[in-house]
Amino acid sequence: MSDFAATKAMFHLPEGVIYLDGNSLGPLPKAAGARMERAMRDEWGEMLITGWNKAGWMAQPAELGDRIARLIGAEPGHVMLGDTLSIKVYQALAAALEMRPERRVILSDSGNFPSDLYMAEGLIGALDRGYELRVVAPEEVADAINPDVAVTLLTEVDYRTGRMHDMAALTARAHDAGALTIWDLAHSAGAVPVDLAGVDADFAVGCTYKFLNGGPGAPAFIYVAPRYADHARPALSGWLGHAAPFDFEQVYRAGEGLARMRVGTPPVLAMAALDSALDIWDGVDMKALRTRAQTLSERFIASVEDSCPMLELASPRDPEARGSQVSFRFAQGYAAMQACIAQGVIGDFRAPDIMRFGITPLYIDAGDIDRAAAVIARVMQDRLWDDPAYQARSAVT
Ligand SMILES: *Cc1c(COP(=O)(O)O)cnc(C)c1O
């Protein structure tokens, strides 16, 4: 049984703040400071370059990958950490396209995060072999999977609305049509139960700074199904993915299994923070987390809808069709969110009109939900958002 009062106590949560933005950047685990301090003082400071061996830095991308594997239903040894999510999208996509050489279509949907689409565009340009990025509405994806499609590039949970794709059904459908699948788990890992092995996924990618709480800029991860791990060709063929990096051979030979998905030197200090964040996940059952997230989300929606008729639910009403966030549409959403933040309730805004609130049971409880809903009610009913101070947009929304 997961103890969510205990997990809440493991985070530093600033006084007077209710943090409903853990879907964008998770809060600081209290143990992270000491863990990073140790990595700096005892490892970097004292061991210098010998830390790569003595402190196990070189093995960490695979070890931390194994800790994440449990949370996403991946086979041990098949999740590798490194780089950013955008780069891992590129890598997975390049590998998948090579495995379907006679096909030319990458299928994605208009709810996907722009960076995934941009990376696909960039790869298509670099390959210059007539590939097409076909973007359809999320509800049209299933019907758009046909024998032209080499690979589907889909984010399971829509970053704006929280709408979830049916990963099992779409994977099966893609396989029936002879296509491969890449699942982006940016808003799934640490948010909803994922069963990569169970749904027979081919590739998956995700980040660790959102629901997993690894810290700003924490490294991304990539999953490759065991059946492909030894022959997927990593288009980004860096030296640490080489079969023998320290032989310094002149010609690239891909390493065994997932090791080939490594590119360059891993971010040791960032991995130390992530390591302490993953300690918190060790005692958490993803099904219990999901149930609690759904209960909290239902409570939040009911309360906000009751007091704020001007806000329109943008997320699916069916809890099973929704990830771990709740979004509302409001024409003045940016200003309204700024007003909420000024009152201590932190969510975020996604253009053009989405107010987004992450529901993260590791450190949000029913009392937080009630207090947040009361603040939102005051902001909306008293039109606190209607203040020029809340109109000016910052670079990061
Ligand atoms: C957050 C997010 C990203 C961000 O990619 P980075 O390279 O880590 O900045 C990419 N894709 C999706 C679906 C996301 O939600």
Side-chain angles (χ1 to χ4, degrees):
M1 201 29 215
S2 308
D3 180 350
F4 293 110
T7 57
K8 183 172 186 172
M10 292 178 189
F11 288 95
H12 171 74
L13 299 162
E15 209 42 56
V17 166
I18 299 169
Y19 193 59
L20 301 181
D21 212 359
N23 52 314
S24 247
L25 174 68
L28 172 69
K30 283 178 183 163
R35 177 72 183 83
M36 288 190 84
E37 166 85 20
R38 216 168 63 230
M40 283 197 269
R41 196 189 46 218
D42 301 348
E43 299 177 9
W44 181 16
E46 295 302 320
M47 298 179 190
L48 295 164
I49 199 164
T50 66
W52 288 107
N53 293 317
K54 280 193 197 150
W57 294 341
M58 203 46 104
Q60 272 172 356
E63 285 173 8
L64 297 183
D66 276 344
R67 299 183 74 184
I68 292 169
R70 181 185 75 84
L71 303 175
I72 56 175
E75 301 86 345
H78 287 276
V79 176
M80 184 61 73
L81 227 70
D83 314 299
T84 75
L85 176 49
S86 303
I87 286 174
K88 281 346 210 185
V89 165
Y90 191 94
Q91 230 182 350
L93 195 52
L97 289 178
E98 263 194 19
M99 292 160 70
R100 289 293 178 273
E102 70 292 354
R103 299 183 179 208
R104 282 292 174 272
V105 174
I106 300 164
L107 180 66
S108 192
D109 73 63
S110 53
N112 205 347
F113 190 77
S115 197
D116 295 37
L117 304 177
Y118 301 161
M119 294 309 281
E121 275 180 40
L123 177 61
I124 288 170
L127 291 173
D128 195 20
R129 272 189 239 132
Y131 283 105
E132 175 197 341
L133 173 61
R134 193 171 290 167
V135 180
V136 301
E139 57 280 8
E140 287 165 4
V141 168
D143 287 341
I145 297 174
N146 63 36
D148 296 337
V149 175
V151 58
T152 60
L153 174 60
L154 300 169
T155 297
E156 186 192 20
V157 178
D158 185 297
Y159 75 104
R160 280 202 190 91
T161 64
R163 176 218 21 87
M164 281 181 84
H165 274 308
D166 184 336
M167 191 187 285
L170 289 176
T171 302
R173 182 147 184 144
H175 290 172
D176 283 347
L180 294 167
T181 55
I182 300 171
W183 285 105
D184 188 328
L185 305 179
H187 297 277
S188 306
V192 297
V194 178
D195 187 8
L196 289 176
V199 305
D200 209 22
D202 302 300
F203 294 88
V205 292
C207 52
T208 61
Y209 52 79
K210 292 174 181 165
F211 288 89
L212 293 178
N213 315 307
F221 64 84
I222 186 166
Y223 164 84
V224 182
R227 60 189 173 281
Y228 301 128
D230 280 320
H231 61 269
R233 202 183 68 86
L236 300 172
S237 39
W239 73 302
L240 287 186
H242 192 280
F246 288 89
D247 286 357
F248 299 102
E249 293 170 12
Q250 195 136 29
V251 177
Y252 184 80
R253 282 190 295 127
E256 216 178 294
L258 259 272
R260 66 186 50 204
M261 290 300 166
R262 296 177 67 153
V263 182
T265 305
V268 172
L269 299 178
M271 288 191 301
L274 175 59
D275 194 34
S276 62
L278 292 175
D279 286 343
I280 300 174
W281 284 102
D282 281 346
V284 175
D285 173 59
M286 287 305 296
K287 288 212 171 66
L289 180 99
R290 175 66 167 156
T291 302
R292 186 165 149 97
Q294 289 178 328
T295 304
L296 293 173
S297 300
E298 292 294 284
R299 188 180 182 106
F300 184 63
I301 292 171
S303 181
V304 172
E305 286 194 321
D306 193 42
S307 56
C308 307
M310 62 297 270
L311 296 184
E312 180 202 341
L313 184 68
S315 299
R317 199 163 284 283
D318 173 8
E320 292 300 319
R322 194 171 62 222
S324 210
Q325 67 175 69
V326 174
S327 302
F328 292 97
R329 285 184 211 286
F330 181 57
Q332 300 294 324
Y334 181 80
M337 186 55 82
Q338 294 311 301
C340 288
I341 293 170
Q343 305 283 319
V345 173
I346 302 185
D348 62 17
F349 171 78
R350 286 294 174 262
D353 58 358
I354 297 273
M355 297 172 71
R356 191 171 72 153
F357 300 95
I359 309 295
T360 51
L362 284 194
Y363 49 86
I364 292 293
D365 56 27
D368 295 322
I369 291 291
D370 293 348
R371 282 188 291 279
V375 166
I376 296 165
R378 195 162 68 242
V379 165
M380 299 311 300
Q381 287 167 5
D382 298 350
R383 296 175 61 95
L384 298 184
W385 53 267
D386 196 7
D387 178 329
Y390 298 141
Q391 307 289 333
R393 297 215 182 173
S394 308
V396 176
T397 62

